[in-house]
Amino acid sequence: MTIKVAVLGCSGRMGRNLIQAASEHSKIALVGGTVRTSSNFADFDLGELAGIGHLGVNTCTDINQLKNADVLIDFTSIESTFEHLAWCQQHNKALVIGTTGFSDQQVEQIVLAGQDAPVLLAPNTSVGVNLLFKLLEITSKAIGDDSDIEIFEAHHRFKKDAPSGTAMKMGQVIADTLGRDLNECAVYGREGITEERDPNTIGFATVRAGDIIGEHTAFFANLGERLEISHRATSRMTFAQGAMKAVIWLAKADNGFYDMQDVLGLKHL
Ligand code: NAD
């Protein structure tokens, strides 16, 4: 079965990679995509927009023109994602959300939307990062209580939220495994006289520079040794290809709220 897919926010960094990944996938037919009404790329060939040659499918500025899609993919902005989510609820369309930076309350709202449509929220669609989440769970169980835990992340200069959604999810996985409340134990950056480290804290450090695609490391450090679990993305295509795995999986799912752990079968590993 071929799955009809539309990309919301086609002209973005991820949008262009999603067009390429969708058009290269044997089980996916790219049927359209949106750009903002003010965009220079309105009614523009999707393939030419992505720099992969003519595809014969054009962008639109109105999501209502995408009713023929089985699954929509959203890597846009928080505000736009909620507009797209409401539309998918109304039309019972499956939605893969890759946009990041949602508050806890906003995530709850997205979870609730799963009652009306299949919704998958993935702050990071890379297969490696989702395996990293599993490795963090295992490591936290084994040595988390005896370790100083710190999370480092680095991204390109254009990224709008910090720490990254992936870093926050890493912290959440570790905190949940150790029975800690991330809101209480997270320390975001340090400056001045900070006193000795509280062993129950989980520290976050952020770098924004140049064209770094995405780097994440969790440190589990003790006196005399340190375990580092790292992931480095070297191309946005890794996120786009992961998003296609999410699309294929979500196309067969009932209404509900899902994540990449469901897609990759990592929940019960
Ligand atoms: P970007 O700014 O390059 O692209 C976003 C695009 O969405 C822009 O072109 C913008 O015009 C478009 N857009 C916004 N609202 C729209 C609307 N209502 N209709 C049509 N187009 C609209 O940003 P980016 O680097 O592509 O990242 C987008 C989001 O994806 C960010 O939240 C980023 O953190 C996230 N991201 C997630 C992953 C992941 O694996 N889940 C990977 C990379 C980036």
Side-chain angles (χ1 to χ4, degrees):
M1 186 186 100
T2 304
I3 299 156
K4 296 193 201 101
V5 169
V7 175
L8 303 164
C10 285
S11 61
R13 283 176 289 269
M14 277 307 300
R16 293 167 199 248
N17 282 273
L18 290 162
I19 291 169
Q20 182 175 349
S23 69
E24 286 173 355
H25 201 293
S26 61
K27 293 188 179 151
I28 289 176
L30 187 58
V31 295
T34 58
V35 291
R36 284 189 188 276
T37 33
S38 54
S39 173
N40 292 331
F41 296 107
D43 202 21
F44 202 86
D45 185 85
L46 289 180
E48 280 166 19
L49 176 51
I52 54 169
H54 193 77
L55 283 179
V57 183
N58 279 15
T59 60
C60 60
T61 54
D62 181 1
I63 192 171
N64 283 302
Q65 290 182 27
L66 301 176
K67 282 186 186 150
N68 61 336
D70 302 314
V71 184
L72 294 95
I73 312 177
D74 174 297
F75 284 62
T76 59
S77 67
I78 291 173
E79 202 189 357
S80 296
T81 300
F82 276 104
E83 287 169 19
H84 298 149
L85 183 63
W87 186 88
C88 287
Q89 286 177 267
Q90 202 184 345
H91 296 87
N92 190 234
K93 292 285 183 189
L95 180 66
V96 172
I97 301 173
T99 303
T100 62
F102 298 108
S103 66
D104 291 350
Q105 267 183 332
Q106 287 171 324
V107 170
E108 275 172 36
Q109 220 178 312
I110 297 170
V111 172
L112 274 180
Q115 292 175 358
D116 304 319
V119 178
L120 190 143
L121 179 64
N124 195 311
T125 46
S126 112
V127 173
V129 159
N130 286 281
L131 188 54
L132 172 99
F133 294 147
K134 196 71 201 176
L135 295 174
L136 292 179
E137 196 185 311
I138 295 167
T139 309
S140 300
K141 268 187 206 153
I143 58 169
D145 281 328
D146 303 322
S147 305
D148 295 334
I149 304 173
E150 299 278 317
I151 295 167
F152 163 85
E153 62 101 344
H155 281 87
H156 52 90
R157 64 168 69 151
F158 306 105
K159 186 160 176 63
K160 296 196 178 90
D161 53 318
S164 69
T166 303
M168 293 307 296
K169 173 88 179 182
M170 289 166 71
Q172 194 64 57
V173 168
I174 295 167
D176 288 351
T177 309
L178 298 176
R180 297 182 198 170
D181 181 342
L182 189 63
N183 290 323
E184 284 171 13
C185 70
V187 175
Y188 300 104
R190 296 185 177 89
E191 194 185 20
I193 310 296
T194 59
E195 302 301 341
E196 283 190 12
R197 191 182 191 286
D198 174 345
N200 286 316
T201 53
I202 298 176
F204 289 83
T206 292
V207 161
R208 292 287 174 266
D211 58 358
I212 302 170
I213 304 268
E215 301 189 1
H216 294 88
T217 297
F219 296 81
F220 290 79
N222 209 326
L223 302 180
E225 69 173 349
R226 175 173 84 235
L227 176 63
E228 296 179 16
I229 306 178
S230 289
H231 179 272
R232 287 188 183 85
T234 50
S235 161
R236 285 189 180 81
M237 275 307 276
T238 193
F239 305 124
Q241 280 155 353
M244 296 312 133
K245 285 188 194 289
V247 162
I248 302 283
W249 189 89
L250 198 63
K252 293 191 203 126
D254 295 328
N255 286 0
F257 174 79
Y258 308 100
D259 61 19
M260 284 302 286
Q261 308 288 306
D262 294 306
V263 174
L264 301 171
L266 292 172
K267 276 207 169 129
H268 306 291
L269 202 69

